[in-house]
């Protein structure tokens, strides 16, 4: 008797005041919230925080969260930021998942565009109080963002 698991959808947030995102090297993501719920086979919306934030990409989650040691992109933490310093110190201890970018817009889909799109009124990123590296999303939000990225 194998239990069938329903795919889950997540928002993975990146704070550019702490981390310099480099698309070619984006292969791992820290998991600090929902460690027992995020699983291989789930999908993620990669969100950049801040005033100029928005949707950076969509990704497949290719592993369950686990300790992986120091990230390949460990040097991308900004040392002139208190968050960057803290995250760099935590890097070797934090559980991570392996991700694979599947879709990326030519330019970032702005926070304003996302939050004004029909069907995304409840989207949790980009709003006051949307803290955390990992936030719940859902299939509807993922599908709408996929359509925005791909011009559907």
């Amino acid at each position: 008797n194998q239990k069938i698991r329903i795919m889950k959808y997540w928002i993975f947030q990146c704070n550019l005041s702490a981390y310099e995102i480099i698309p070619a090297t984006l292969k791992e993501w820290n998991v600090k919230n929902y460690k027992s719920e995020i699983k291989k086979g789930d999908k993620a919306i990669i969100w950049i925080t801040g005033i100029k934030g928005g949707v950076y990409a969509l990704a497949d989650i290719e592993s369950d969260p686990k300790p992986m040691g120091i990230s390949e992109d460990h040097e991308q933490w900004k040392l002139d930021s208190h968050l960057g310093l803290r995250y760099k110190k935590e890097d070797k201890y934090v559980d991570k998942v392996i991700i694979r970018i599947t879709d990326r817009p030519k330019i970032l889909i702005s926070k304003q565009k996302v939050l004004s799109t029909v069907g995304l009124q409840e989207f949790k990123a980009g709003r006051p109080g949307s803290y955390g590296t990992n936030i719940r999303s859902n299939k509807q939000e993922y599908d709408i963002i996929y359509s925005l990225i791909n011009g559907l």
Side-chain angles (χ1 to χ4, degrees), residues 5 33 83 145:
R5 182 181 177 279
N33 311 82
L83 279 178
I145 289 171

Side-chain angles (χ1 to χ4, degrees), residues 7 17 24 35 41 46 49 66 74 78 82 84 96 98-99 112 119 121 126 135 138 143 147 150:
M7 179 186 305
S17 68
K35 288 180 189 183
I46 308 298
T49 63
K66 63 184 177 189
H74 183 73
K78 292 183 179 177
H82 74 281
K96 298 176 182 76
I98 295 173
I99 64 167
Q112 292 76 17
Q121 293 84 1
I135 301 172
N138 59 52
D143 288 346
S147 295
N150 292 292

Side-chain angles (χ1 to χ4, degrees), residues 45-107:
I45 300 162
I46 308 298
W47 179 266
I48 304 298
T49 63
I51 293 170
K52 295 182 180 180
V55 172
Y56 175 77
L58 298 177
D60 287 344
I61 299 171
E62 297 195 325
S63 72
D64 290 346
K66 63 184 177 189
M68 294 185 190
I70 293 176
S71 301
E72 285 183 29
D73 55 0
H74 183 73
E75 296 309 314
Q76 301 308 316
W77 294 111
K78 292 183 179 177
L79 301 183
D80 60 348
S81 154
H82 74 281
L83 279 178
L85 282 170
R86 186 178 102 202
Y87 295 157
K88 185 165 184 157
K89 287 178 187 172
E90 292 175 353
D91 187 37
K92 64 181 165 184
Y93 305 109
V94 174
D95 285 356
K96 298 176 182 76
V97 291
I98 295 173
I99 64 167
R100 182 176 56 85
I101 300 295
T102 57
D103 295 275
R104 223 173 88 217
K106 287 182 175 53
I107 59 169

Side-chain angles (χ1 to χ4, degrees), residues 2 10 17 22 39 45 49 63 120 125 133 147 151:
Q2 277 195 320
W10 304 96
S17 68
I22 302 212
K39 299 288 181 196
I45 300 162
T49 63
S63 72
L120 296 177
T133 305
S147 295

